[in-house]
Amino acid sequence: MHTERLRRTIRGTLMPGFAGFTPPTWLIDALNDGLQSTCVYGENVADTAQLQALGNALREAAPQAILAIDEEGGEVTRLHYLTGAPYPGAAVLGRINNSEYTAEIGARVGYDILEAGFNLALAPDADVNSNPENPVIGTRSFGADPELASKHTAAWVRGLQRTGAQACPKHFPGHGDTTQDSHLALPVVDVPLSLLEQRDLPPFRAAIEAGARAIMTSHILLPQLDPVNPATLSQTILQGLLREQLGFTGVIVSDALDMRGRVARLGSRRQPCEH
């Protein structure tokens, strides 16, 4: 009995991805046996009708599950994976600099993912794009100014969540000052906590104050906070900084576990879990 409870508890912490355009049998079985979440990526999208059918099939199989989709709008879109998003991404919203319009775009994303059967957007990108050589954030960020990024992160979160969907700002504690892509390597951000507090943390504070129920971590190493573990695996950063200092009590979501930034530290066996 204890082993069974433990197995279901562990399953409840996972958000696996899957291959194909329809829910595989193993996923449906797992959702009926303790799994609480799954995530859809571009490889699961053939067209709009198929994606909606997929989302609705997952929703029918698991009405209470957290069904996540990597939908930032702009260049990172799954709802419009083959055609491009019909709404502007973060960099454009930052340049327009109208928080009401940003909230409106967040709401549009929220209604769209709900219509497709999903209820958690792995967005917005709350990173302050402070390094112009950053190869992975760039236009996914609202901008290089912490105040600007904070205002629009909060507005996007509020807009999306007023639809009943949930937001998951990323990539804590900030992926904006990197020159490497954590999909391919383990970036190192060798700066003191004082700089993070001034530059990188304000958008996450704003997101928490706006009611964000989930926050995604980053596979980056911050040696002045934890010289051994990337943020995703660091008790100092997740418990000490995110939980205790910022007061976040919601769900902490890992970035994809097969990314090199995570694998480079611990190694990996191929697993279905991606977030």
Side-chain angles (χ1 to χ4, degrees):
M1 184 65 70
H2 175 74
T3 301
E4 175 66 15
R5 286 200 301 269
L6 179 60
R7 182 178 62 81
R8 290 179 65 87
T9 298
I10 292 173
R11 277 192 168 184
T13 69
L14 302 177
M15 184 186 286
F18 57 94
F21 302 135
T22 58
T25 301
W26 69 261
L27 179 60
I28 299 301
D29 291 345
L31 287 168
N32 290 321
D33 190 34
L35 187 68
Q36 299 293 316
S37 184
T38 188
C39 185
V40 162
Y41 295 92
E43 66 185 25
N44 303 120
V45 182
D47 54 48
T48 301
Q50 171 272 324
L51 178 61
Q52 186 164 358
L54 170 61
N56 289 334
L58 289 168
R59 175 62 54 218
E60 183 178 352
Q64 304 304 318
I66 298 171
L67 302 182
I69 188 165
D70 206 9
E71 183 64 41
E72 298 176 17
E75 67 186 80
V76 178
T77 178
R78 301 295 176 257
L79 293 174
H80 310 282
Y81 186 67
L82 303 178
T83 60
Y87 21 70
V92 173
L93 293 172
R95 285 183 176 274
I96 294 171
N97 196 18
N98 181 323
S99 57
E100 291 184 2
Y101 181 58
T102 297
E104 178 185 333
I105 296 302
R108 286 179 61 186
V109 173
Y111 286 125
D112 281 355
I113 69 169
L114 289 172
E115 184 179 3
F118 303 94
N119 55 10
L120 177 67
L122 300 178
D125 192 308
D127 300 310
V128 177
N129 195 48
S130 56
N131 191 328
E133 297 182 3
N134 195 312
V136 67
I137 302 303
T139 58
R140 299 169 63 190
S141 165
F142 291 108
D145 177 70
E147 183 177 353
L148 178 79
S150 298
K151 178 172 72 171
H152 290 282
T153 295
W156 204 98
V157 167
R158 285 195 299 267
L160 181 132
Q161 294 196 162
R162 75 184 183 212
T163 70
Q166 300 299 324
C168 182
K170 57 191 182 187
H171 307 81
F172 186 84
H175 207 316
D177 187 18
T178 62
T179 57
Q180 292 177 299
D181 181 348
S182 55
H183 293 84
L184 307 175
L186 176 61
V188 177
V189 179
D190 193 5
V191 300
L193 177 59
S194 58
L195 180 55
L196 291 176
E197 290 175 330
Q198 176 184 356
R199 181 189 66 188
D200 298 285
L201 296 184
F204 293 99
R205 289 185 183 276
I208 293 168
E209 291 172 1
R213 302 282 296 279
I215 287 179
M216 182 185 291
T217 65
S218 59
H219 301 321
I220 62 174
L221 188 69
L222 298 106
Q224 296 193 40
L225 276 68
D226 187 332
V228 176
N229 301 298
T232 295
L233 305 173
S234 172
Q235 183 175 358
T236 299
I237 293 171
L238 299 187
Q239 181 65 32
L241 189 57
L242 181 55
R243 293 287 194 209
E244 297 174 6
Q245 185 168 326
L246 270 64
F248 180 63
T249 59
V251 177
I252 298 175
V253 180
S254 167
D255 208 344
L257 295 179
D258 58 357
M259 291 167 58
R260 295 301 304 175
R262 202 280 308 184
V263 175
R265 230 19 174 207
L266 294 183
S268 176
R269 293 183 301 171
R270 186 62 180 172
Q271 303 175 44
C273 180
E274 299 208 357
H275 270 273

